């Protein structure tokens, strides 16, 4: 696929104008922990680049992501997360290729964002980090809504950071082989309807899926852990409603498993964000609260060891409204059953117009029986954007 993408790049550059954006920078992390045989720091170079070219009603998009880690050989890679062609008709379009999509409404954890596989090589706790998925999609645009039929063609495997990384939380060696209920190229079908209200500030989406589930379970093979993908019939929905200075959000899903080892299950999330404008001089303060619940129909079947299962998250967002677009986001997540906790705070700002700085702190406090271990993480990212 990478050879095909590189062969395709000259076509974008020849003839006519094209758009390009991207960034290049570094990431430094420090970990405080008591986990044996794990590193307490990491340093990596990162880059992203996106090329777009329109020729009449045709759109070509290529997006490259790369990481070069100082110590972790597994985190020395590049990939084309977006590599697709789209033809636009008068009130519809057709997309063919590999791309990333976002579905959901909540701030902290999007249970309906199931189309793409998460990129564990990047950061397993960054739910926005994804692998592109090969698909063919047709979208029909209506007055205040749209209908999309998406056929996902292939199921991506997940690679893991090396054994000395604290982000490799597995207790045994892992191999990046994906065992699937049927073939990996068994298509997954998504039918999505989304829209917005005419007289009220409401955005919503409903998705039906028949195909491989977004969550996977682990099994042993020759002394190594491997992932297993199984088929589900799944119904998902999400909505965002704005009333005054408050945003109300919800997401829900129910999956019927086709694998005897995996239980049917339901998920539910609800949240709100209330903004106090000009709370401190020109600065705005957003107060956030979200609740998430995961419930399996049969607890005697596969245990997914989910860190999020019965969680309440309280957070804030402080927008400085300055020329640097500075923002502070923080919160505390507590599992109401196990008392597991995640505390996090992050600061984003722009420096000298084309540079961005992000600093974050995370404290992870799992229960004693969890595969996760207690740790503190400080992360610094600095990059040039073009």
């Amino acid at each position: 696929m990478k050879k095909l993408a590189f062969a395709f790049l000259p076509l974008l550059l020849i003839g006519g104008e094209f758009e390009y954006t991207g960034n290049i920078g570094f990431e430094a992390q420090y970990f405080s922990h008591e986990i044996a045989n794990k590193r307490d720091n990491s340093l990596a170079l990162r880059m992203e680049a996106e090329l777009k070219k329109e020729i009449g009603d045709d759109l070509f998009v290529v997006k490259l992501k790369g990481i070069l880690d100082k110590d972790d050989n597994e985190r020395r890679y590049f990939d084309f997360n977006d590599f697709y062609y789209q033809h636009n008709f008068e009130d519809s379009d057709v997309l063919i290729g590999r791309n990333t999509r976002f579905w959901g409404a909540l701030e902290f954890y999007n249970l309906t964002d199931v189309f793409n596989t998460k990129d564990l090589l990047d950061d397993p706790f960054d739910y926005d980090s994804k692998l592109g998925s090969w698909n063919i999609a047709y979208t029909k645009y209506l007055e205040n809504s749209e209908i999309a039929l998406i056929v996902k063609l292939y199921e991506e495997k997940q690679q893991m950071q090396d054994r000395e990384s604290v982000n490799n939380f597995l207790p045994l060696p892992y191999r990046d082989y994906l065992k699937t209920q049927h073939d990996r190229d068994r298509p997954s079908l998504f039918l999505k309807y989304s829209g917005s209200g005419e007289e009220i500030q409401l955005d919503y989406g409903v998705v039906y899926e028949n195909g491989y589930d977004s969550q996977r379970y682990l099994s042993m093979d020759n002394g190594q852990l491997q992932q297993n993908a199984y088929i589900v019939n799944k119904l998902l929905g999400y909505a965002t409603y704005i009333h005054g200075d408050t945003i109300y959000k919800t997401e829900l899903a129910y999956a019927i498993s086709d694998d005897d080892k995996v239980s049917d299950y339901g998920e539910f999330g609800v949240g709100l964000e209330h903004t106090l404008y000009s709370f401190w001089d020109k600065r705005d303060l957003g107060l956030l609260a979200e609740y998430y619940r995961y419930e399996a129909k049969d607890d005697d079947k596969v245990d997914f060891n989910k860190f999020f299962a019965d969680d309440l998250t309280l957070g804030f967002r402080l927008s400085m409204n300055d020329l640097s677009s500075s923002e502070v986001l923080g919160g505390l997540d507590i599992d109401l059953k196990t008392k597991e906790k995640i505390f996090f705070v992050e600061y984003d700002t722009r420096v000298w117009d084309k540079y961005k700085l992000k600093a974050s702190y995370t404290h992870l406090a799992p229960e004693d029986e969890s595969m996760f271990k207690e740790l503190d993480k400080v992360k610094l990212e600095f990059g040039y954007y073009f």
Side-chain angles (χ1 to χ4, degrees), residues 25 27-29 31 39 41-46 66-78 121-122 161-162 164-165 167:
E27 151 197 294
Q29 300 183 82
F31 306 94
R39 288 186 294 268
N41 62 79
S42 71
L43 182 65
L45 292 175
R46 304 178 60 96
I67 298 178
L68 180 62
D69 193 284
K70 174 179 174 291
D71 299 304
D72 191 340
N73 290 332
E74 299 295 333
R75 294 188 80 223
R76 296 174 182 174
Y77 72 99
F78 69 91
L121 276 180
D122 188 348
Q161 298 181 25
D162 73 15
E164 295 182 11
S165 169
N167 285 325

Side-chain angles (χ1 to χ4, degrees), residues 87-238:
H87 181 79
N88 299 308
F89 300 96
E90 182 177 352
D91 56 3
S92 62
D93 63 52
V94 173
L95 181 148
I96 302 173
R98 193 183 197 207
N99 74 332
T100 54
R101 303 173 183 271
F102 172 78
W103 298 337
L106 296 171
E107 176 68 33
F108 299 115
Y109 179 64
N110 300 109
L111 63 97
T112 57
D113 193 22
V114 300
F115 183 75
N116 297 102
T117 303
K118 306 307 179 187
D119 185 0
L120 299 181
L121 276 180
D122 188 348
D123 186 343
F125 293 100
D126 181 358
Y127 293 98
D128 293 327
S129 185
K130 308 173 184 178
L131 301 172
S133 296
W134 290 98
N135 66 103
I136 299 174
Y138 173 76
T139 304
K140 173 73 173 179
Y141 299 97
L142 307 174
E143 186 173 353
N144 293 301
S145 60
E146 62 184 61
I147 301 173
L149 177 62
I150 309 166
V151 181
K152 186 176 176 181
L153 303 174
Y154 189 72
E155 199 66 18
E156 299 285 342
K157 64 182 182 180
Q158 286 180 303
Q159 294 177 277
M160 186 75 71
Q161 298 181 25
D162 73 15
R163 294 295 307 277
E164 295 182 11
S165 169
V166 295
N167 285 325
N168 184 333
F169 44 81
L170 298 177
L172 296 170
Y174 170 82
R175 66 167 184 155
D176 57 1
Y177 173 79
L178 178 61
K179 184 178 180 181
T180 53
Q181 186 174 346
H182 300 292
D183 294 334
R184 281 181 66 184
D185 56 2
R186 188 273 194 196
S188 293
L189 172 68
F190 297 85
L191 181 62
K192 176 175 176 283
Y193 177 80
S194 59
S196 57
E198 295 185 20
E199 299 180 359
I200 59 175
Q201 292 181 286
L202 173 68
D203 294 303
Y204 57 89
V206 179
V207 182
Y208 165 74
E209 177 195 0
N210 174 265
Y212 285 111
D213 198 9
S214 56
Q215 68 175 1
R216 298 166 179 174
Y217 65 91
L218 295 170
S219 64
M220 290 290 297
D221 184 71
N222 293 323
Q224 293 180 310
L225 293 170
Q226 66 180 20
Q227 289 188 343
N228 296 258
Y230 59 94
I231 301 296
V232 293
N233 282 289
K234 195 170 188 177
L235 186 63
L236 313 104
Y238 58 88

Side-chain angles (χ1 to χ4, degrees), residues 345-357:
V345 60
E346 57 187 45
Y347 171 69
D348 276 286
T349 190
R350 192 172 65 246
V351 183
W352 305 313
D353 191 37
K354 290 194 175 183
Y355 296 85
K356 287 187 178 181
L357 172 68

Side-chain angles (χ1 to χ4, degrees), residues 40 62 135 137 191 232 243 260 263 287 307 335 342-343 379:
D40 60 9
V62 174
N135 66 103
L191 181 62
V232 293
H243 180 72
D260 292 337
S263 172
L287 303 175
F307 194 85
D335 189 297
I342 298 178
F343 171 76
K379 185 175 182 180

Side-chain angles (χ1 to χ4, degrees), residues 254 263-268 292-299 306 309-310:
Y254 191 81
S263 172
D264 300 346
Y265 67 89
E267 295 177 279
F268 170 74
Y292 168 76
R293 181 68 179 267
Y294 176 95
E295 193 70 41
K297 184 177 180 181
D298 187 349
D299 291 332
K306 293 178 69 68
D310 184 18

